[in-house]
Structures are given as structure tokens and as C-alpha cells.
Amino acid sequence: MLNYLLRRLLLVVPTLFGILAINFAVIQFAPGGPVEQMIAEMKGHGDTMARLNGSGSESSNGGGDYRGARGLDPHVVADIKKMFGFDKPPLERFEEMVSGYVRFDFGRSFFRDQTVLQLIAQKMPVSISIGLWSTLLIYFVSIPLGILKAVRDGSRFDVASSAVILIGYAIPGFLFAIMLVVVFAGGSFLSWFPLRGLTSSGAETWSWPARIADYAWHMVLPTLALVVGGFASLTMLTKNCFLEEIRKHYVTTARAKGASEARVLYGHVFRNAMLLIVAGFPAALIGILFSSSLLVEIVFSLDGLGLLGFESAIQRDYPVMFGTLYMFTLLGLVLQIIGDFMYTLVDPRIDFGTREG
């Protein structure tokens, strides 16, 4: 197992490097970079990004003139390029970026007076809160429901719960979030829950029980929106895994030996059926943290990592873009390794140390 862990950890390095290199190369051809935005603002453009479309990338011009810079002093343009670091060749900039990332130095934001690490540290608790609670609730709901559907396969309960699951499939999380806002957050009906943020104004001066209750109150709607959008597929996966195991010969043998249904289900079937479900936990957490939660963060005005990455891409804030990408990728790779360890906890017969390659 130790050899397998070392191999996986060594693969993290080339994976991170490859993802950064590909995205850095793509960025060089993206129009409307920070230099062009600054030049357009200096020339008094109202809608900077709209007027920059098709103007070319600062990097792809090889440090040449900008079409949007015509009429400006070349020294001013040179100063702007130097301010954003685009006075250097792309390869040199990439080397500096990688050397900084090895030390977890992601630089400073172009448009926010903070370092990238400070921004990530500020936004991370919001995304972790949403992703962790949503993922745990999805598993706590889906696994018991999937097991019950498998045990009562074909019953009225199975049919009725399948109708609820079909609704969960059909309604995206962000659309359900909008429905929750309209109904429960002061839209057109009730005002039971807050509309924005994870804490109330002035909550930092409250007692700990009051702060915990306030936090839970703010978390209800965002978490519910993600749970409804994510429990359907896991419930069906759980049901199908258990049905497949229940129909195998060793279950028939266990029953013939007089084992109770609870012993058969939780002593034999559960361990084998849970392997695929456990393996999907890291991917489920990553998906909720960095993709599913993005629109939910926007709907509920939650200033998390998903919203930070989206705004950075729109603004062409490259240090924040690459910093969040690096953290997303690193966290995803680490969670995949943790998922392999969870495999061995569920079924000790699995030994990754005997795998080759």
C-alpha cells in the first residue's frame, strides 16, 4: 500500500504541471486580457470587454503594439505591460509562475489589493461549508433510501420514491434554488430564511450557541438546493449496487444457512455493494464544491471559491484564475487518493500494493 501511495503522490506533480501548462497556453490566445482592459479604460471606453472582442491577446502579439492602444504614448503602454508582468516572454512568465506555485506563492490579484492566497483563504470556508454539508446529507439520504428501494424492489414504495427521484433528476440545483428563494426567502410568499450570506449582520458579537444557530439558519436553503439536485443519481446507484449483490449466489447460500435478513444485508451485501459508492465520494465532493455550488453561490450571494473563480475568468484576473485552478486540481487529486484508502477500509481484501504500474 505504501508503494502505491508513493506512486500516486508522484503522479500528482506531472498532472498539476500538465493542467497548468495547457491552460496557460490557451490563455495566451484569449482576447480581452488585463493589459487591453486597462488601455480601453484609459481611452474612455464604456463597455471594455465588448469593445475588446477580436482585438487579440497581449501574449499572442509577442509584445507588439495593441490595436486598442493607438493614440496612446508607447511608454504608457509599456508601463501597463510591466505592471501586469506582460513585458516578459510567455515561457519566462510560465517558469516564474510554476516556481512560485511550488512554494504556494500564487502572486497578487490584478484587480483586488490582496494576494491570491488571502482571497482563497477568505472564500474557502464558504465553499467548504456548502460542499461538505451538502455531500454528507446527500449520502445520509441516498444510501438508506437506495437500500430500502433495493429491499422493496417493485413495491409501491419503490414506485412512489422513483417519482420523487425523477423530479430530482429533472430540476437542476440552481433552478430549485431560485424556487426556494421565491417561496421561502422573501420572494412572493414567505420570509422564513435569509437571502444572502452565511451569517447575520453583527453575529460576531453573539454567543456561540446563537452563532451556530444563525449559521445553520443561513445554510438551510443553499444546502437543500444542492441536496435535491444531487441525491437522485446516488440513490439509484445505491439501489442498483445492492440489487446486483442481493441476486448473487453467496446471498442465497447465507440465507440457506439460516442467516437473518439483517445479517445477510448488512453483514455480507453491504460491504460489497458500498465499494462503488465509496469510490464516488471524492468526485461527488469535488463536483459539489467547484461546479454545482457555483450557481447556488450566485443565487444566494455566497462569496465562495466558485464565484471567485467565475468572476476572475470574466475579469481576466490571471493570478486568481490559475491559483484557484491549482487548488481545485490539487484538492481533487488528494481526494482521489483518499478514496482509494476508503476502498481498503470498506473491504480489507483490496490491496493496492499488489497493483502494477
Side-chain angles (χ1 to χ4, degrees):
M1 187 65 184
L2 181 60
N3 291 334
Y4 174 77
L5 174 62
L6 291 176
R7 289 198 301 268
R8 289 294 301 270
L9 290 175
L10 289 175
L11 282 174
V12 168
V13 177
T15 303
L16 284 171
F17 180 84
I19 291 175
L20 288 176
I22 293 173
N23 283 274
F24 185 86
V26 171
I27 286 298
Q28 306 314 304
F29 303 98
V35 175
E36 292 173 318
Q37 293 188 48
M38 181 66 71
I39 290 172
E41 289 178 6
M42 293 181 65
K43 295 190 68 176
H45 284 259
D47 188 349
T48 301
M49 293 303 297
R51 295 178 182 273
L52 289 174
N53 286 335
S55 62
S57 162
E58 60 266 20
S59 304
S60 61
N61 290 333
D65 294 333
Y66 295 84
R67 289 193 293 175
R70 293 171 183 171
L72 288 180
D73 189 335
H75 296 290
V76 175
V77 178
D79 289 340
I80 295 174
K81 293 170 64 177
K82 185 176 182 179
M83 179 177 63
F84 289 111
F86 286 95
D87 57 327
K88 303 174 183 178
L91 184 59
E92 183 178 347
R93 287 189 280 115
F94 180 71
E95 290 175 352
E96 291 181 356
M97 183 182 73
V98 172
S99 64
Y101 281 17
V102 172
R103 307 186 304 270
F104 279 84
D105 179 9
F106 303 139
R108 297 186 66 87
S109 168
F110 286 159
F111 306 106
R112 307 170 191 243
D113 189 23
Q114 289 178 291
T115 65
V116 176
L117 273 179
Q118 288 175 334
L119 288 171
I120 292 176
Q122 290 174 6
K123 315 301 182 184
M124 181 72 79
V126 176
S127 294
I128 291 294
S129 294
I130 299 173
L132 184 61
W133 292 120
S134 299
T135 304
L136 290 176
L137 283 176
I138 286 173
Y139 269 73
F140 285 148
V141 171
S142 300
I143 292 177
L145 180 59
I147 294 174
L148 195 57
K149 284 176 64 63
V151 173
R152 300 185 181 183
D153 184 39
S155 66
R156 291 182 178 179
F157 170 81
D158 183 36
V159 175
S161 58
S162 295
V164 177
I165 291 173
L166 182 61
I167 296 175
Y169 269 123
I171 302 179
F174 76 92
L175 181 58
F176 191 72
I178 295 174
M179 294 170 57
L180 291 176
V181 169
V182 172
V183 177
F184 296 108
S188 301
F189 299 94
L190 305 173
S191 298
W192 290 354
F193 297 97
L195 180 58
R196 60 181 64 245
L198 290 182
T199 57
S200 299
S201 178
E204 60 274 4
T205 63
W206 299 353
S207 63
W208 276 107
R211 292 169 67 179
I212 293 174
D214 179 67
Y215 168 77
W217 183 45
H218 282 77
M219 284 294 298
V220 170
L221 295 187
T223 303
L224 184 59
L226 290 174
V227 169
V228 170
F231 88 101
S233 57
L234 183 60
T235 300
M236 295 308 299
L237 175 63
T238 304
K239 176 188 175 181
N240 293 334
C241 289
F242 272 81
L243 276 179
E244 182 180 356
E245 293 298 321
I246 288 173
R247 293 165 179 169
K248 289 185 176 179
H249 292 299
Y250 74 88
V251 175
T252 304
T253 302
R255 287 171 175 165
K257 290 182 177 180
S260 64
E261 284 298 315
R263 173 65 179 170
V264 170
L265 185 61
Y266 296 104
H268 300 281
V269 174
F270 186 83
R271 175 178 294 178
N272 296 326
M274 287 295 293
L275 287 176
L276 186 60
I277 300 168
V278 169
F281 183 85
L285 179 58
I286 288 294
I288 292 177
L289 274 175
F290 306 128
S291 58
S292 300
S293 63
L294 170 59
L295 294 175
V296 173
E297 287 181 9
I298 295 174
V299 171
F300 291 101
S301 301
L302 301 175
D303 197 8
L305 281 178
L307 186 59
L308 174 66
F310 175 75
E311 291 178 345
S312 301
I314 296 298
Q315 297 173 350
R316 301 296 196 272
D317 195 346
Y318 295 152
V320 180
M321 283 176 56
F322 285 111
T324 53
L325 174 66
Y326 182 85
M327 293 301 297
F328 291 168
T329 306
L330 180 61
L331 183 59
L333 294 172
V334 170
L335 284 176
Q336 289 294 336
I337 297 175
I338 294 175
D340 288 343
F341 276 104
M342 293 175 68
Y343 256 135
T344 62
L345 292 177
V346 175
D347 191 346
R349 295 173 299 174
I350 296 178
D351 183 10
F352 287 105
T354 60
R355 294 179 57 176
E356 298 179 358

